[in-house]
Amino acid sequence: MTPPRYPLLAAKLRITAHVLGCASGKALVAKFHAANPATSCEVQRLYKWIQGRALPRRAQFYADWAQVIGSPRSGAWMEGCTLEAFITEMQALHGADAAHLESLARADAAPPGQGPAPAGPDGLAHLQGVYACYSLAWSPFFRGQVIRGTLRLAARPNRPGLVATYSEALGGAIVEMPGEVVATYRAIHVLVRDPGSGLPIFFSLVAPGPPAVVLCGSMSGVAFVAHETLCSAGRVIAIRLGAEAKPEASNAYLPEEPGRIAADLRALGIGFARPEREADEALRGFLAGNDAASGLNQVSLGNLLALSDLFDLRQMLGGVPPPRPLRVVA
């Protein structure tokens, strides 16, 4: 059973990042280093704390945290305070909306001593949007190339939840595959089907907190363009575009040439926080990633945060609606 302090720490860190406007793990770590250059807060450690996998080992971390948020409280208070007390402190210091902070904190965390809680319909609102979707081609005729498709997530008409539409350029035409979205506090699952053949494609994506500007995970199914049955699986990354974007018309196979993914994103209006060549190499490296020792191909929150760091999130957030307050279930 996960100790209660783990999700409590993660919730308070999510609130801190949100209130301070840190769109990435590196941005929050930079705040800690500005407060104390010798802080124990490093990127990989922060990822584990936010995932609820570990706790800080040094008491000084909590004193640094108080400085980061501008609080006169002691490190001991920061470590031991309840979620409600922490939210009250952030409200007093930064004028944040207490109800929104509480819902944000609880959206991705299971209550202490309980298993994962499914995300309610309001908890999916920040996922709505249009995403440029990149994955390695499954077809042997396009081996080594990257497919750029489009993923749309929209509110389900007259019912709670989201519907999905994934599209690719196949056989000279744009094929749209509709489906539904199931989300938990840790993952997003999307099952779409080709309307002609009925063939399914299944996505499992790491669930990001609001705002969701990058999605990543795995996709599986059967290669559509092949002379034999090829059960396939691989990694996928989806980057949010502007609300009015219509990228379906430019869905395509991208050649193996270095820089083509970054160039495609730039053509879609996406800016980078790093040199384009470096970003392109990181994106291709993620898509090709695999744990050779175990044979597994798993994607974590750490992957999501690292990919998010590649992009100019402030520029991207200009087209993202502010998240609605999420419903809190007692």
Side-chain angles (χ1 to χ4, degrees):
M1 183 181 297
T2 302
R5 291 173 63 203
Y6 282 52
L8 176 60
L9 172 73
K12 291 193 285 190
L13 283 171
R14 282 196 299 273
I15 287 174
T16 301
H18 175 78
V19 172
L20 299 184
C22 298
S24 69
K26 285 188 175 180
L28 183 55
V29 168
K31 298 282 187 183
F32 275 85
H33 278 267
N36 176 12
T39 184
S40 61
C41 184
E42 302 293 346
V43 173
Q44 291 304 319
R45 289 173 181 164
L46 179 65
Y47 292 166
K48 291 181 180 180
W49 299 338
I50 290 179
Q51 286 177 294
R53 293 166 51 200
L55 290 172
R57 296 181 179 180
R58 300 179 185 177
Q60 181 60 40
F61 165 79
Y62 296 97
D64 297 342
W65 195 355
Q67 292 188 56
V68 166
I69 65 173
S71 173
R73 303 282 190 173
S74 67
W77 185 91
M78 293 290 295
E79 179 179 9
C81 71
T82 64
L83 179 63
E84 292 72 19
F86 185 77
I87 288 174
T88 299
E89 183 76 358
M90 297 299 279
Q91 183 182 31
L93 293 171
H94 300 279
D97 179 78
H100 177 58
L101 294 187
E102 182 176 357
S103 60
L104 175 67
R106 299 190 187 281
D108 296 327
Q114 298 183 19
D122 291 341
L124 304 182
H126 68 287
L127 300 175
Q128 296 181 49
V130 185
Y131 300 82
C133 205
Y134 298 87
S135 62
L136 294 179
W138 296 343
S139 169
F141 303 109
F142 299 96
R143 189 73 72 211
Q145 296 190 31
V146 172
I147 291 180
R148 201 270 279 152
T150 300
L151 178 65
R152 288 182 176 269
L153 301 179
R156 183 161 42 185
N158 304 317
R159 294 176 59 191
L162 298 179
V163 293
T165 303
Y166 174 67
S167 65
E168 288 184 1
L170 295 171
I174 302 299
V175 177
E176 294 188 344
M177 293 166 263
E180 293 194 1
V181 179
V182 176
T184 67
Y185 80 112
R186 284 185 176 178
I188 306 158
H189 309 283
V190 181
L191 178 63
V192 298
R193 295 181 184 275
D194 172 35
S197 65
L199 289 174
I201 294 179
F202 181 69
F203 296 79
S204 288
L205 306 170
V206 178
V213 293
V214 177
L215 304 175
C216 68
S218 62
M219 60 187 296
S220 59
V222 175
F224 285 17
V225 185
H227 291 317
E228 58 181 322
T229 300
L230 295 175
C231 296
S232 308
R235 291 185 171 190
V236 62
I237 178 172
I239 296 95
R240 183 189 289 272
L241 306 177
E244 303 302 320
K246 297 180 179 179
E248 288 86 351
S250 58
N251 284 350
Y253 286 87
L254 303 181
E256 297 181 64
E257 303 168 9
R260 289 302 296 267
I261 297 178
D264 185 66
L265 284 167
R266 177 166 30 86
L268 293 171
I270 298 299
F272 296 93
R274 302 203 189 157
E276 282 193 18
R277 179 176 179 180
E278 180 181 341
D280 187 87
E281 290 177 351
L283 292 168
R284 287 183 178 272
F286 169 78
L287 292 179
N290 188 65
D291 186 342
S294 67
L296 296 175
N297 195 339
Q298 295 179 318
V299 179
S300 69
L301 177 61
N303 292 125
L304 175 65
L305 296 175
L307 290 169
S308 298
D309 286 341
L310 300 175
F311 300 100
D312 183 350
L313 298 185
R314 295 192 180 279
Q315 176 245 324
M316 294 171 69
L317 291 175
V320 178
R324 297 185 306 179
L326 307 180
R327 181 177 302 162
V328 178
V329 180

